[in-house]
Amino acid sequence: QARARLSKYRTIAEREELVRAAATRAGDATTSAAFVQGASDGAASANLQARLKTIADQAGARVQSVRALEPANEGRLRYLKAHLELAGSVAAIYATLRAIEGREPYLFIGQALLRMPVAAPGILPTQEPSIEAQLDVYGPVYSHAVGQ
């Protein structure tokens, strides 16, 4: 039994460098791509808004407006929020939603309102309709963690 324990401790000791490197990476969350980056709330909020605009543009949606919302604290994390209004085809809006929640930094859609405006005269039933979306998006900011 003592030999088994000794063997286990040797195995752990052999991995010390790997464990220390992983702990350093995990502890250095201020540079982690998982968090919205910025030296201040204003800079991080501007980065969030620019990122949302870029995501929507790449997905083929038209951004009508994007603005900052009041930040929120939850536990030790601070979340920045933004309100995004856009329009586009169903496919473009869907691609925007997937891209927002499917990449780093981690962003979450807290509220979504989708509506189809009244079709303009002359729109053929075979044409894909445009829809409008209003999204409240939020993401964590590590550098502004509560108590840091």
Side-chain angles (χ1 to χ4, degrees):
Q1 197 175 35
R3 285 183 185 204
R5 281 191 198 150
L6 182 58
S7 176
K8 181 179 176 181
Y9 292 137
R10 280 189 183 140
T11 303
I12 292 170
E14 289 169 2
R15 294 184 178 192
E16 177 186 14
E17 190 175 318
L18 249 148
V19 171
R20 286 188 188 277
T24 299
R25 284 192 308 274
D28 192 17
T30 58
T31 59
S32 172
F35 295 91
V36 178
Q37 299 295 311
S40 66
D41 272 359
S45 183
N47 287 343
L48 173 60
Q49 292 174 55
R51 179 153 186 83
L52 292 173
K53 184 174 181 344
T54 299
I55 288 171
D57 289 343
Q58 289 174 347
R62 293 178 312 281
V63 174
Q64 296 172 328
S65 73
V66 61
R67 63 182 168 82
L69 296 175
E70 194 66 33
N73 297 321
E74 185 176 308
R76 294 194 51 167
L77 283 177
R78 182 166 179 80
Y79 290 91
L80 294 183
K81 298 181 178 184
H83 180 78
L84 176 66
E85 295 184 13
L86 59 152
S89 66
V90 172
I93 301 300
Y94 178 72
T96 301
L97 295 172
R98 286 189 48 107
I100 287 171
E101 289 196 330
R103 300 179 185 165
E104 289 184 339
Y106 298 134
L107 300 176
F108 309 95
I109 298 169
Q111 262 189 328
L113 173 66
L114 304 173
R115 68 174 176 244
M116 185 178 299
V118 176
I123 298 288
L124 300 174
T126 57
Q127 291 176 307
E128 185 176 10
S130 178
I131 62 172
E132 296 173 348
Q134 295 179 3
L135 310 172
D136 287 347
V137 180
Y138 62 98
V141 182
Y142 183 82
S143 60
H144 299 102
V146 177
Q148 295 287 323

